Amino acid sequence: MERSEVLWQVFPLGALGTPSVNAKLDGTQPDSPPRHTLADLVPWCDHAANLGATGILLGPIFDSYSHGYDTVDHYTIDPRLGTRDDFGTLVHAAHAKGLKVVLDGVFNHVGSRHPYLLDLAQNGPRSEYADFFRVNWQGWSVGSLPQYDTFEGHTGLAALNHEHPGVLTYIQRVMTYWLDAGADGWRLDAAYALDPATWTRILPPVREQFPKAWFCGEVIHGDYPALVRASGWDSLTEYELWKATWSSLRERNFFELDWTLRRHNEFLDTFVPQTFVSNHDVTRIVSQVHGDAQALTAAVILFTVGGIPSIYYGDEFGWGGVKEERLGGDDAIRPPLPDSLKNAAWNAREKEFLRAYKELVALRAQHPWLMTARTHVEYLDNEQIRYSSKGANGQALTVVLNTASTPVPLDHEMLSGIRQWLLSPSEDGLHHAAIGYPQIP
């Protein structure tokens, strides 16, 4: 990515209010036209552009049985989301607004109803796809699925055998097919589950055809710089900063944020992380911290340190939602969007969140060097922190955050230039976030 990027992330299966199960694959439901399609996200391209985003990060859109990560056909749009034409309409509208489109690629595993796997049930070890999966044929009989390795124990998710050249070719063909259809990059779901060197066998031929494509691996833990070097990804999801952001606010312990920002600077020496305060897999930031002020303070952190930040749809309106470990436990964090953006009636609180997010994204656009800025903490205690994010050419932005009931110590020179910003005064009469521009020698 060539500019200071901000992604607006949306989970289409939730945002468009689709049925939880694909009727085409489930004989208990009638197969009827979808109520909404990907084309209904076109007005939300206007919203993303007005917000200041430069790209849209789509959740899974390919034919699947239920939640989108159990893919059965990588070449077909999930019928709950419409057709290839609806996808084309969305991509055209996004590009017309200057928005890139990044797709969610599930290439570690496929759904248990994937035709390649079903072929094993009929043809057994003689199937041409027998080596596409890691299979134990003991006890197999014609018409039944063999025992196969799964993704994290989920029987509905069959792990692919990435040692087989045919699997790598399949992934490459899917990637190039949709890049040729207008996509600009891929989020690589569960990228951490593969040997990172596998990606060095997958990505180079794709890059050869699409040199501007962007590839971001989903990684939770690990040695981030080593993983990027070993895999050839452009970026990865920085869960370390996500955790430190909400945890330091909720626990009123900015020492955790300080420690993580030091790590964050080291990451930026190798790559530009994909940063976030919410996404489709975690409890939303408003529900993760204590109140709106802390949620917006989290957004201040997100937009004033290095990285490629993403806004998870609804965060810009202050929507909450708690992820639960149960069937349907993701529903609250993947809610439907209003049927009509034009007629949506935002309340005063939602409008205030939207105003704040627009200001933050505008700040990012005014200072594109923030994407690769290094952050240095200048004052620190449990409930108060002052840090400066600095660009390679001497640019600087100083941020003061306060979760306490006492003012943050400020240098006299900085005090004269700082502007109380973003948040309305809290109940104690103090602003919990302020941004200032110190004089640069």
Side-chain angles (χ1 to χ4, degrees), residues 56-57 71 122 200 237 260 285 289 316 324 335 398 436:
I56 295 178
L57 175 57
T71 316
Q122 297 304 314
T200 65
T237 53
T260 303
I285 188 63
V289 296
E316 71 272 32
E324 299 179 10
T398 296

Side-chain angles (χ1 to χ4, degrees), residues 171-229:
I171 295 171
Q172 289 164 344
R173 286 176 176 170
V174 171
M175 284 184 165
T176 55
Y177 178 86
W178 292 105
L179 289 169
D180 191 54
D184 300 287
W186 289 92
R187 171 195 176 271
L188 306 173
D189 180 71
Y192 57 85
L194 280 68
D195 180 342
T198 302
W199 296 102
T200 65
R201 300 162 60 199
I202 295 173
L203 295 181
V206 181
R207 289 190 186 278
E208 195 171 314
Q209 293 186 60
F210 299 94
K212 293 184 178 181
W214 183 70
F215 300 93
C216 177
E218 183 198 14
V219 176
I220 313 298
H221 308 292
D223 185 339
Y224 290 166
L227 288 168
V228 169
R229 287 192 294 265

